[in-house]
RNA sequence: GCGCAUGUGGCGUAAUUGGUAGCCGCGCCAGACUUAGGAUCUGGUGGAGCAAUCCGUGGGGGUUCGAGUCCCUCCAUGCGCACCA
C-alpha cells in the first residue's frame, strides 16, 4: 500500500467540505483566536507559488490553535473592487463584475487545492452590494463625525452643531488654521454663536465640511492622466503610479478626503500597544512624520500689515538665519516682491510649474530667486533677504522657512550656490565646508542665548517668542489627509447627493434606508466631463445629483476583518456582540507592501468606530507577521542577432533561430579566441545546412526570457523548448560542450545551459510557477511543507522547485512507518521503548516551540529528524505514531487524516487532543560534555549531570587528552557550566 | 543622502539565553537491489593534510575563560524614506 497522495487529498478535501469541518461558530465555550490573511485582489493571472506562503503559514497556525483547544476564526474573502478589472474592461469590453467573478472562482479553486482551512461560509467580497452597503454606511459615519480635540476622539457632527449654536467655534477651532470663512469682509476663521446662527445654509455646511472626518474639498492631488484618476500618496511611487507606472502630476481638483491627520497622534501612540515588527512601526512612524518646533512671525521691511510666518524645529538657531525661503506657491510672494525682481520671480515660478514631480526628484539642481524683500530678525533687527525656491514645499509647515546655512545641509548648499554670506553661530563646530546639524554645540554670536547648549536654547527661545507674542510652539506632521475619491467606475459609489443652492453646491448624505446605493450598469468606461468618472455619463445618476466619484480600493479593505465576524448581518456592519466576542485579530499575516496604506487606514477606521461606540477595541490587529516575498528565478536563452551581425543587409526571416549556451556566451564576452573560432565554425555549419552562405562580421546575442517550467535547474529541455513557441520549432542550439543540436535530428548528447536571474515573479518574465502544477505532481501536503521549509517565513527568497523532492521523500518515508509497499500494514500495538518515547516527546516539545514562534522551517526539519530517528529505531508502534500524526496535522492535514483513520480512529484528526510533552521521558542522567583547553575544544567526556565542580575537575584533569594539552602545567582555573561545557584555562 | 535589515559549505538553511559551528534538505560521491530508472535503501560529503593537526560564520580591531551571537570600524547586498525645515 503506497502513499497515494492524489486520491487521499481529493477524498479528504471533499469530506471536510461536506462535513462542514471548517465552519466556525460565534458561540463557544472555548477561548477565541482570530487568524487573518490579507485578502487578495483577484487578478486575472491567478495565484503563483509566491502568494500562498502567507496563507499556508496562517493555516498552519490556525489549525495548530484549533488542536490546542481554541475556537479559531480563519476566514477568507476578496478585495474585489479596483483598477485592473476596469482597465481589463476597457481593453476587452468585459464587465468588471463578470471578469471579477471569473477570477474569484479561479482563485477559489486554487486555494482549495492547497487544503486551507477557511470557513468559506463567512466569505466577503468588497464588490458585493450586501458588503459595500456597510462600507457606505461607515463612510456616512465618517461624514457625520468630527474630531473633538478636547475629548480626543471622534464625535457626532450634531455635537459640534450644538456647540456652534451656543458658543460659536471658540472651543473647536477650524482644523486647518489657514482656512478663511466664506463670509465677505470676515477676517480669520473664528465665529460667534450669533454669527453661526445668522449664516445661511451654504455657509454653515461649508464650515462643517472643514470638520468632517470624511470631507470634500479642493486640493492638490496626484492626478494620473493615463489611469484617468486621482491617487493617494501611498499609491504613487517615485513620481509614477504604483499600478502601471504611469506619470503622475499635481492637479487642483475637487476631492473627497479622510481627515486621518487628526488621528496622527493616536496612530503613533497605538503602535506602542501592538506587535508589529520594528521595521513596520518605523515605516508608519516616518510616514506620520511628527516633528516638534515653533512657528515664528517675522516682520517685513517696509510692510507693516503683513507678517512672514515660518516653521522651524530649531528656534535655537535664530541668530544664524541668513535668508528666508518661500515655496514658489506661497501667497505672500506677490505682495512682497520688489519691482526690480518682479520679472525674475515670475520667470522662476513659470519654470517651477513647467517641471514635473519626476523631473524634480530626478535632478537635484539648486534653483531659486531673490524677491527683493527683507524680513527683520526680531532679536537683533538684522535684515534678512527673502528668496523663493522649489526646495521648500508649500504643503508642509507654513510653506516658508528660516534658512540657517551653518546648521542645515540644504540651506548651506543654497547659500554657497547663490553666494549668500554665512553666519557662524557654533564656533569650531562649523568648518565652513559643510553644515553641522548638531544640537550639542555651544552657541556663539547669538545675543541673549550665547553660551548656551543648542539643545537647551530651543526651549528658551520658544518661551521668549511666546512672551513677545511673535511665535508659538507647534507640532507638525508629514502625513497629509488621505485622498478618498477616484474618478473611476469599479468602486463603491458615495452615498452623497449634491444640492444646488445659489451660493454653491452642498453635499448631503443619503438616508441609511437607501443603502446600498448600487453601482449602476454602464456600457462605457470612458471618463466623464471635467475629470469626472464614468458615472458622470449616466443620466439616471446625474439627474439625481449623485456624487460621480467612487471610493478608492482601500475603502472596502479598511474594515473587512470586522465583517467576517458577522458576515450575514443585514441590520449592522457587525453586531456589537460578535465584535466583542472576536475582538482584535490575534494574528494578521501579509506582505510589507501595505505598511503605510491599508494598515494605516484600517487602524484609523477602527479608531473611529471605537470612538463612536460601535466596537470595543481601538486597534484592529494584535500581532502582525510579515511574510517575505517569493521571487521568481528567471531563465534566459541567448539568441543570435542576425540583424546586428550582418549589418541589416539581409532578410532576417530567412535565417534560422540559433541559441548559444550560457557558458559559451560568457566566454565570448571575455574575448575567448577558442570560443570565437568554435562558434564561427558552428554558425557556418548551421548557415550551410540552411542553404545560406553569408559570413557574419561579429557574434552578437540577446538574452530572452524562457519559461522556467521547461528548464530543469539550468538545463534547457530542448524538445519542450521547440514546442514552447512556434518560432522556435526549428531552432538550432549550440550546446555547452560546443556541439550542435539540429532540429531535424532527434537525439543528441550535451546540454544547453540557461542564464539565471532573480526577479519579481510575473507572467511577462515567464518565471511564474503555478501551485496547481506543483500540487498535481507532489500533492498539497508536500507543497505546504516545502513552502515552509524554504526558510524563515519573513525572509524573501527565490522559488526553487528542486528541493521539493526532499520534503516529498519525507512524507513517503513517514507513510512507510505505517505501511509497507509489499507487506501492507506494519504498524503495531506494541508498547514503546524509552528511546522511542524520548524521540516522540522531544518532537512534541520542539514542534510546539517552533510553531508558537512561527519558525515553521525548523519545525519541518524537526519532523524529518523525528521520522529519521524512528526509522532507525524501526519503530512502527501506534502509541508513538498516532501522537506524531496530530503534531503533523497543521502542516500536512490530508495524509494525517488518512493515516489517522487507517489507525482505526473514526473522528477527525482536526479535533484530536494535542499531545503533551512529558518531562519524564526527556530527563537524562549524564551528558557528553565538550571539554576545551583555553577555549579550544579538545575532547568530550561523559559526566553525570548532577556532578559537583570537584568531581568534574578530577575527571577532566585525569583525562589523557587533556593531560596531553596541559603538558604538565597546572591549570589556572576550570570553568564548568552545568549542562553546557567545561573549559580548562592554562 | 538618511534610516533599517542581512552577510555561515556548491545551494536553501540550522545553532530560543555568549558555551561542541554546519542540524534538516538539495546537490554531489561511493555502494546495494534492479532489464532499467529522475524509484528505494546503505554509507560519505566545510577547506587543507597520509596523519597528528591546522584553518574556517563578509574584512579589520576589541570585550571575554569562551564570540556566528556583544561592542567599534570598514565593505557588500536588500528594503524603506527621500528636499518634511
Amino acid at each position: 500500500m503506497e502513499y497515494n497522495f492524489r486520491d487521499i487529498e481529493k477524498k479528504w478535501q471533499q469530506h471536510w467540505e461536506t462535513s462542514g469541518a471548517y465552519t466556525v461558530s460565534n458561540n463557544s465555550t472555548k477561548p477565541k483566536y482570530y487568524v487573518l490573511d490579507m485578502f487578495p485582489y483577484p487578478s486575472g493571472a491567478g495565484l503563483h507559488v509566491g502568494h500562498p506562503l502567507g496563507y499556508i503559514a496562517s493555516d498552519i497556525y490556525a489549525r495548530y490553535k484549533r488542536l490546542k483547544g481554541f475556537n479559531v476564526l480563519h476566514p477568507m474573502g476578496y478585495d474585489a473592487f479596483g483598477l485592473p478589472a476596469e482597465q481589463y474592461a476597457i481593453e476587452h469590453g468585459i464587465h468588471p463584475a463578470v471578469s471579477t467573478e471569473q477570477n474569484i472562482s479561479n482563485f477559489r479553486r486554487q486555494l482549495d487545492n492547497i487544503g486551507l482551512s477557511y470557513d468559506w461560509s463567512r466569505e466577503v467580497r468588497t464588490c458585493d452590494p450586501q458588503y459595500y452597503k456597510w462600507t457606505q454606511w461607515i463612510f456616512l459615519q465618517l461624514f457625520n463625525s468630527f474630531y473633538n480635540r478636547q475629548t480626543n476622539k471622534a464625535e457626532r457632527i450634531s455635537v459640534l452643531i450644538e456647540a456652534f449654536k451656543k458658543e460659536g467655534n471658540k472651543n473647536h477651532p477650524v482644523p486647518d488654521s489657514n482656512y478663511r470663512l466664506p463670509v465677505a469682509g470676515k477676517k480669520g476663521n473664528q465665529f460667534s454663536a450669533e454669527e453661526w446662527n445668522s449664516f445661511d445654509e451654504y455657509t454653515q455646511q461649508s464650515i462643517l465640511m472643514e470638520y468632517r472626518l470624511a470631507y470634500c474639498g479642493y486640493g492638490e492631488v496626484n492626478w494620473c492622466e493615463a489611469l484617468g484618476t486621482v491617487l493617494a500618496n501611498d499609491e504613487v511611487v517615485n513620481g509614477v503610479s504604483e499600478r502601471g507606472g504611469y506619470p503622475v502630476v499635481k492637479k487642483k481638483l475637487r476631492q473627497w478626503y479622510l481627515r486621518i491627520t487628526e488621528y496622527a497622534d493616536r496612530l503613533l501612540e497605538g503602535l506602542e500597544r501592538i506587535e508589529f515588527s520594528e521595521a513596520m512601526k518605523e515605516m508608519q512612524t516616518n510616514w506620520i512624520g511628527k516633528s516638534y518646533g515653533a512657528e515664528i512671525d517675522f516682520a517685513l521691511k517696509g510692510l507693516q500689515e503683513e507678517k512672514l510666518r515660518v516653521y522651524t524645529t530649531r528656534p535655537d538657531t535664530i541668530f544664524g538665519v541668513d535668508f528666508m525661503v518661500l515655496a514658489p506657491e506661497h501667497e505672500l510672494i506677490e505682495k512682497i516682491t520688489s519691482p526690480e525682481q518682479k520679472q525674475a520671480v515670475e520667470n522662476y515660478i513659470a519654470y517651477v510649474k513647467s517641471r514635473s514631480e519626476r523631473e524634480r526628484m530626478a535632478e537635484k539642481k539648486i534653483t531659486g530667486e531673490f524677491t527683493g524683500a527683507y524680513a527683520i530678525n526680531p532679536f537683533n533687527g538684522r535684515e534678512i533677504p527673502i528668496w523663493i525656491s522649489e526646495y521648500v514645499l508649500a504643503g508642509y509647515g507654513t510653506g516658508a522657512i528660516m534658512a540657517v546655512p551653518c546648521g542645515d545641509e540644504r540651506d548651506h548648499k543654497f547659500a554657497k550656490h547663490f553666494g549668500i554670506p554665512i553666519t557662524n553661530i557654533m564656533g569650531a563646530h562649523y568648518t565652513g565646508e559643510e553644515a553641522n546639524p548638531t544640537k550639542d554645540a555651544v552657541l556663539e554670536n547669538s545675543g541673549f542665548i550665547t553660551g548656551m547648549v543648542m539643545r537647551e536654547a530651543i526651549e528658551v527661545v520658544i518661551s521668549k517668542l511666546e512672551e513677545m507674542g511673535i511665535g508659538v510652539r507647534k507640532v507638525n506632521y508629514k502625513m497629509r489627509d488621505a485622498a478618498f475619491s477616484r474618478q473611476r467606475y469599479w468602486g463603491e459609489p458615495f452615498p452623497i447627493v449634491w444640492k444646488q443652492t445659489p451660493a454653491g453646491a452642498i453635499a448631503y448624505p443619503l438616508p441609511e434606508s437607501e443603502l446600498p446605493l448600487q453601482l449602476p450598469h454602464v456600457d462605457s468606461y470612458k471618463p466623464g466631463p471635467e475629470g469626472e468618472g464614468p458615472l458622470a455619463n449616466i443620466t439616471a445618476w446625474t439627474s439625481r445629483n449623485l456624487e460621480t466619484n467612487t471610493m478608492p480600493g482601500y475603502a472596502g479593505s479598511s474594515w473587512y476583518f470586522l465583517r467576517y465576524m458577522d458576515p450575514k448581518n443585514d441590520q449592522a456592519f457587525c453586531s456589537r456582540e460578535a465584535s466583542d466576542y472576536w475582538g482584535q485579530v490575534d494574528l494578521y499575516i501579509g506582505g510589507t507592501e501595505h505598511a503605510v496604506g491599508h494598515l494605516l487606514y484600517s487602524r484609523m477606521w477602527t479608531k473611529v468606530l471605537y470612538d463612536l461606540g460601535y466596537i470595543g477595541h481601538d486597534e484592529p490587529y494584535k500581532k502582525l507577521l510579515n511574510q517575505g516575498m517569493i521571487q521568481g528565478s528567471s531563465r534566459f536563452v541567448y539568441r543570435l542577432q542576425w540583424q546586428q551581425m550582418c549589418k541589416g543587409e539581409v532578410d532576417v526571416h530567412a535565417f534560422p533561430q540559433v541559441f548559444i549556451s550560457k557558458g559559451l556566451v560568457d566566454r565570448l564576452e571575455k574575448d575567448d579566441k577558442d570560443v570565437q573560432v568554435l562558434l564561427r565554425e558552428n554558425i557556418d555549419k548551421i548557415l550551410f545546412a540552411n542553404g545560406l552562405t553569408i559570413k557574419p562580421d561579429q557574434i552578437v546575442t540577446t538574452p530572452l526570457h524562457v519559461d522556467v517550467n521547461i528548464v530543469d535547474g539550468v538545463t534547457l529541455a530542448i524538445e519542450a523548448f521547440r514546442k514552447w513557441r512556434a518560432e522556435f520549432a526549428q531552432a538550432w542550439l549550440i550546446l555547452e560542450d560546443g556541439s550542435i543540436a539540429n532540429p531535424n535530428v532527434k537525439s543528441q548528447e550535451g546540454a544547453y545551459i540557461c542564464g539565471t536571474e532573480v526577479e519579481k515573479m510575473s507572467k511577462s518574465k515567464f518565471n511564474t510557477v503555478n501551485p496547481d502544477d506543483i500540487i498535481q505532481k507532489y500533492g498539497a501536503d508536500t507543497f505546504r511543507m516545502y513552502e515552509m521549509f524554504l526558510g524563515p517565513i519573513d525572509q524573501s527568497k527565490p522559488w526553487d522547485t528542486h528541493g521539493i523532492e526532499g520534503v516529498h521523500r519525507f512524507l513517503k518515508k513517514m507513510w512507510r512507518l505505517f505501511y509497507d509497499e509489499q507487506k501492507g500494514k506494519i504498524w503495531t500495538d506494541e508498547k514503546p521503548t524509552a528511546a522511542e518515547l524520548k524521540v516522540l516527546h522531544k518532537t512534541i516539545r520542539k514542534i510546539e516551540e517552533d510553531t508558537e514562534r512561527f519558525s515553521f522551517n525548523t519545525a519541518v526539519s524537526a519532523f524529518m529528524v523525528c521520522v529519521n530517528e524512528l526509522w532507525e529505531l524501526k519503530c512502527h508502534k501506534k502509541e508513538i505514531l498516532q501522537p506524531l500524526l496530530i503534531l503533523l496535522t497543521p502542516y500536512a492535514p490530508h495524509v494525517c487524516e488518512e493515516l489517522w483513520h487507517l489507525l482505526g480512529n473514526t473522528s477527525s484528526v482536526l479535533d484530536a487532543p494535542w499531545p503533551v510533552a512529558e518531562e519524564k521521558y526527556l530527563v537524562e542522567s549524564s551528558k557528553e560534555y565538550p571539554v576545551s583547553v583555553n577555549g579550544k575544544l579538545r575532547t568530550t567526556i561523559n559526566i553525570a549531570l548532577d556532578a559537583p565542580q570537584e568531581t568534574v575537575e578530577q575527571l577532566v584533569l585525569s583525562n589523557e587528552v587533556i593531560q596531553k594539552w596541559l603538558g604538565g602545567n597546572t591549570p589556572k582555573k576550570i570553568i564548568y557550566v552545568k549542562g553546557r561545557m567545561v573549559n580548562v584555562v592554562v
Side-chain angles (χ1 to χ4, degrees):
Chain A
M1 201 167 139
E2 63 173 358
Y3 172 39
N4 187 339
F5 58 85
R6 288 194 191 94
D7 292 349
I8 292 171
E9 291 178 359
K10 205 168 129 196
K11 172 171 131 196
W12 289 111
Q13 282 180 8
Q14 272 169 9
H15 185 266
W16 288 326
E17 200 191 326
T18 49
S19 66
Y22 300 138
T23 311
V24 187
S25 163
N26 281 8
N27 294 305
S28 173
T29 51
K30 294 177 186 172
K32 72 96 190 181
Y33 201 88
Y34 189 177
V35 182
L36 181 66
D37 289 298
M38 288 186 187
F39 66 167
Y41 176 81
S43 80
L47 293 174
H48 60 62
V49 289
H51 298 113
L53 187 71
Y55 304 156
I56 295 169
S58 64
D59 193 60
I60 288 171
Y61 205 75
R63 288 175 180 273
Y64 167 75
K65 278 288 177 186
R66 175 175 177 165
L67 286 167
K68 286 285 251 181
F70 287 82
N71 188 34
V72 180
L73 178 57
H74 186 42
M76 189 43 125
Y78 304 97
D79 187 13
F81 271 135
L83 275 177
E86 194 168 343
Q87 288 296 97
Y88 189 81
I90 292 170
E91 286 158 28
H92 298 89
I94 296 173
H95 196 276
V98 175
S99 60
T100 301
E101 180 71 41
Q102 284 169 356
N103 294 347
I104 285 177
S105 55
N106 185 41
F107 262 64
R108 175 65 192 274
R109 188 189 51 73
Q110 286 190 298
L111 290 171
D112 282 348
N113 246 340
I114 303 167
L116 302 167
S117 63
Y118 296 123
D119 178 357
W120 285 107
S121 69
R122 292 174 183 260
E123 179 193 310
V124 302
R125 299 179 184 190
T126 54
C127 65
D128 179 348
Q130 288 317 304
Y131 180 87
Y132 69 68
K133 168 181 178 178
W134 298 107
T135 307
Q136 291 171 336
W137 181 86
I138 297 174
F139 170 82
L140 290 183
Q141 309 311 307
L142 291 160
F143 180 80
N144 285 320
S145 303
F146 77 109
Y147 197 82
N148 187 337
R149 292 186 183 180
Q150 316 226 296
T151 56
N152 240 320
K153 60 180 197 151
E155 288 177 23
R156 299 289 169 187
I157 201 85
S158 53
V159 172
L160 190 66
I161 296 171
E162 282 311 306
F164 286 172
K165 281 183 187 163
K166 286 199 192 95
E167 55 181 38
N169 72 343
K170 65 172 189 227
N171 286 318
H172 301 287
V174 188
D176 177 4
S177 53
N178 292 322
Y179 177 72
R180 296 286 168 267
L181 293 176
V183 178
K186 176 94 185 159
K187 254 204 154 181
N189 56 26
Q190 271 214 21
F191 52 84
S192 64
E194 295 72 44
E195 284 175 301
W196 170 261
N197 293 324
S198 71
F199 291 152
D200 62 13
E201 186 191 10
Y202 176 77
T203 307
Q204 286 187 343
Q205 289 298 330
S206 301
I207 292 168
L208 289 175
M209 199 58 114
E210 290 298 311
Y211 290 84
R212 296 180 189 276
L213 289 180
Y215 66 96
C216 190
Y218 272 89
E220 287 245 308
V221 293
N222 306 301
W223 174 258
C224 180
E225 188 61 43
L227 295 173
T229 188
V230 158
L231 299 170
N233 286 348
D234 60 278
E235 291 169 320
V236 181
V237 182
N238 295 328
V240 298
S241 68
E242 190 188 18
R243 285 207 186 266
Y246 302 111
V248 171
V249 294
K250 290 278 180 207
K251 199 169 172 179
K252 277 224 163 187
L253 271 181
R254 181 185 65 82
Q255 288 302 317
W256 287 89
Y257 292 91
L258 291 185
R259 207 176 293 283
I260 192 170
T261 47
E262 290 290 321
Y263 278 89
D265 266 326
R266 282 174 61 191
L267 288 169
L268 277 177
E269 175 274 326
L271 286 177
E272 291 162 24
R273 292 182 279 120
I274 52 183
E275 292 173 60
F276 281 23
S277 69
E278 285 310 309
M280 193 60 62
K281 286 184 182 179
E282 204 176 294
M283 272 190 245
Q284 294 211 349
T285 306
N286 286 344
W287 184 263
I288 294 167
K290 185 175 189 175
S291 69
Y292 301 87
E295 279 184 0
I296 306 174
D297 287 334
F298 284 81
L300 295 163
K301 185 186 171 193
L303 219 91
Q304 299 299 314
E305 66 274 23
E306 293 288 349
K307 297 271 184 216
L308 173 58
R309 178 169 290 183
V310 303
Y311 175 69
T312 180
T313 55
R314 296 296 301 275
D316 55 308
T317 60
I318 191 146
F319 287 91
V321 177
D322 290 317
F323 55 98
M324 300 287 183
V325 188
L326 309 186
E329 298 88 350
H330 201 282
E331 54 175 15
L332 218 49
I333 294 173
E334 217 177 308
K335 287 184 190 147
I336 61 170
T337 303
S338 68
E340 305 80 60
Q341 286 300 104
K342 193 166 187 295
Q343 192 56 48
V345 165
E346 277 173 12
N347 289 349
Y348 181 70
I349 292 172
Y351 159 79
V352 170
K353 276 190 178 154
S354 74
R355 274 155 57 90
S356 71
E357 273 298 285
R358 213 176 167 186
E359 280 171 326
R360 267 186 51 160
M361 285 177 170
E363 34 169 315
K364 284 187 185 160
K365 278 196 291 187
I366 299 170
T367 64
E369 191 56 65
F370 178 46
T371 60
Y374 293 88
I376 310 293
N377 187 318
F379 294 117
N380 59 11
R382 210 175 120 197
E383 293 185 359
I384 309 163
I386 303 173
W387 289 68
I388 62 172
S389 172
E390 60 179 341
Y391 86 87
V392 173
L393 305 176
Y396 183 76
T398 61
I401 62 155
M402 56 180 230
V404 182
C406 70
D408 184 280
E409 187 60 41
R410 297 151 304 182
D411 298 347
H412 194 262
K413 282 190 178 141
F414 194 86
K416 287 274 178 189
H417 187 264
F418 288 105
I420 302 167
I422 296 169
T423 307
N424 181 11
I425 53 165
M426 52 178 95
H429 285 91
Y430 173 65
T431 58
E433 286 306 308
E434 55 184 8
N436 186 345
T438 182
K439 285 183 189 169
D440 296 320
V442 174
L443 287 157
E444 297 184 14
N445 276 330
S446 289
F448 71 103
I449 48 171
T450 299
M452 266 183 222
V453 175
M454 296 173 119
R455 196 177 294 282
E456 286 150 18
I458 294 175
E459 275 307 304
V460 177
V461 173
I462 295 179
S463 304
K464 184 82 179 171
L465 289 166
E466 286 183 331
E467 203 183 297
M468 294 163 71
I470 54 167
V472 287
R473 196 177 307 275
K474 175 85 182 179
V475 170
N476 259 324
Y477 302 92
K478 280 196 240 179
M479 185 169 66
R480 303 273 83 97
D481 280 342
F484 193 68
S485 46
R486 299 291 179 271
Q487 292 65 45
R488 282 298 189 141
Y489 168 71
W490 192 234
E492 300 87 348
F494 283 84
I496 291 289
V497 183
W498 288 94
K499 180 179 161 188
Q500 293 298 333
T501 70
I506 303 170
Y508 279 100
L510 228 50
E512 284 178 20
S513 59
E514 286 188 37
L515 300 183
L517 173 61
Q518 294 224 30
L519 198 54
H521 187 86
V522 293
D523 296 317
S524 158
Y525 306 95
K526 295 216 169 58
E530 292 161 46
E532 291 199 76
L535 293 179
N537 296 327
I538 302 174
T539 39
W541 197 262
T542 49
S543 63
R544 289 175 65 193
N545 289 315
L546 289 165
E547 169 63 56
T548 58
N549 282 334
T550 54
M551 298 187 203
Y554 64 81
S557 62
S558 289
W559 72 282
Y560 74 112
F561 42 89
L562 291 166
R563 188 65 179 170
Y564 286 136
M565 298 172 180
D566 196 5
K568 306 269 192 304
N569 195 333
D570 58 3
Q571 299 302 307
F573 68 101
C574 171
S575 73
R576 183 66 198 257
E577 200 188 358
S579 63
D580 278 348
Y581 174 67
W582 290 110
Q584 283 177 298
V585 173
D586 294 284
L587 177 64
Y588 195 24
I589 297 189
T592 52
E593 66 272 20
H594 298 109
V596 292
H598 160 64
L599 286 171
L600 220 41
Y601 300 128
S602 55
R603 289 183 60 217
M604 178 207 168
W605 284 43
T606 301
K607 287 178 189 299
V608 175
L609 291 171
Y610 169 79
D611 288 352
L612 297 177
Y614 292 114
I615 54 175
H617 54 277
D618 78 335
E619 280 291 343
Y621 322 111
K622 195 183 249 168
K623 181 181 174 66
L624 174 71
L625 184 65
N626 294 117
Q627 93 266 18
M629 203 179 24
I630 292 197
Q631 294 133 310
S633 184
S634 303
R635 295 290 181 274
F636 295 90
V637 290
Y638 301 86
R639 182 164 70 181
L640 282 188
Q641 270 287 23
W642 294 115
Q643 211 143 26
Q644 284 181 51
M645 287 163 64
C646 301
K647 297 278 180 249
E649 64 188 62
V650 289
D651 175 15
V652 182
H653 301 288
F655 284 83
Q657 299 266 351
V658 178
F659 297 88
I660 302 180
S661 189
K662 173 79 164 88
L664 301 178
V665 173
D666 288 345
R667 284 165 66 191
L668 184 68
E669 273 168 18
K670 285 185 203 134
D671 281 327
D672 185 320
K673 294 280 177 281
D674 296 343
V675 169
Q676 291 200 0
V677 172
L678 172 87
L679 289 175
R680 281 191 176 279
E681 281 174 9
N682 279 333
I683 291 168
D684 284 349
K685 278 187 214 164
I686 294 169
L687 289 174
F688 182 76
N690 283 274
L692 295 160
T693 50
I694 288 168
K695 292 267 175 209
D697 311 334
Q698 57 184 133
I699 305 172
V700 185
T701 60
T702 356
L704 296 179
H705 276 98
V706 63
D707 189 345
V708 273
N709 297 295
I710 56 169
V711 181
D712 180 20
V714 289
T715 311
L716 184 70
I718 295 171
E719 283 312 305
F721 175 69
R722 293 212 173 99
K723 279 184 198 132
W724 184 48
R725 291 268 144 116
E727 67 210 271
F728 300 158
Q730 289 299 308
W732 294 71
L733 295 96
I734 301 178
L735 306 178
E736 194 69 11
D737 61 5
S739 65
I740 298 174
N742 182 330
N744 307 310
V745 180
K746 263 287 161 229
S747 70
Q748 65 257 321
E749 303 274 304
Y752 185 95
I753 303 300
C754 298
T756 63
E757 204 172 305
V758 172
E759 301 175 293
K760 202 176 148 106
M761 224 179 237
S762 100
K763 283 240 148 153
S764 63
K765 297 189 173 82
F766 301 108
N767 61 3
T768 57
V769 179
N770 189 331
D772 296 344
D773 298 338
I774 303 290
I775 290 168
Q776 169 60 28
K777 197 161 171 195
Y778 298 101
D781 287 333
T782 300
F783 177 66
R784 292 165 61 101
M785 290 193 85
Y786 182 56
E787 288 240 342
M788 294 300 104
F789 189 57
L790 237 33
I793 190 74
D794 53 353
Q795 235 163 65
S796 288
K797 52 237 156 188
W799 174 262
D800 170 22
T801 306
H802 261 85
I804 201 168
E805 299 279 354
V807 176
H808 193 57
R809 266 176 223 147
F810 153 75
L811 285 176
K812 285 197 282 189
K813 193 168 182 177
M814 185 194 67
W815 180 271
R816 289 201 306 273
L817 288 174
F818 297 77
Y819 287 92
D820 186 277
E821 263 184 56
Q822 266 83 48
K823 291 182 243 165
K825 166 179 178 281
I826 49 170
W827 58 269
T828 70
D829 287 316
E830 281 172 66
K831 281 280 154 206
T833 64
E836 291 164 345
L837 283 165
K838 193 173 155 190
V839 170
L840 173 67
H841 286 265
K842 197 177 68 181
T843 306
I844 298 173
R845 193 165 64 183
K846 174 85 173 143
I847 295 303
E848 220 173 286
E849 282 170 1
D850 285 356
T851 308
E852 289 285 359
R853 65 190 173 103
F854 312 105
S855 180
F856 304 114
N857 56 327
T858 54
V860 174
S861 158
F863 282 122
M864 290 173 171
V865 171
C866 174
V867 165
N868 288 346
E869 286 176 355
L870 293 178
W871 187 263
E872 238 159 82
L873 292 167
K874 297 194 167 43
C875 171
H876 305 288
K877 295 164 185 164
K878 180 175 171 180
E879 244 179 86
I880 298 294
L881 297 178
Q882 180 157 299
L884 176 62
L885 286 180
I886 304 172
L887 297 184
L888 187 62
T889 294
Y891 292 80
H894 310 86
V895 67
C896 290
E897 184 80 296
E898 175 74 9
L899 288 169
W900 178 257
H901 280 79
L902 287 172
L903 285 181
N905 294 290
T906 48
S907 61
S908 169
V909 75
L910 302 183
D911 292 307
W914 184 261
V916 179
E918 288 185 54
E919 275 310 307
K920 66 179 177 192
Y921 298 118
L922 297 169
V923 286
E924 307 249 1
S925 57
S926 67
K927 176 187 165 69
E928 201 62 29
Y929 273 89
V931 182
S932 7
V933 178
N934 288 335
K936 276 205 194 313
L937 179 73
R938 294 306 176 188
T939 187
T940 59
I941 304 175
N942 197 292
I943 306 172
L945 270 174
D946 55 2
Q949 177 90 20
E950 306 86 71
T951 322
V952 173
E953 287 190 14
Q954 265 176 24
L955 270 168
V956 166
L957 290 177
S958 61
N959 182 282
E960 264 181 56
V961 184
I962 299 304
Q963 280 185 351
K964 193 190 111 193
W965 284 101
L966 285 175
N969 297 314
T970 1
K972 274 196 205 133
K973 67 175 159 179
I974 296 177
I975 294 156
Y976 165 53
V977 182
K978 214 168 182 180
R980 289 281 184 196
M981 43 58 70
V982 181
N983 188 19
V984 183
V985 186
V986 189

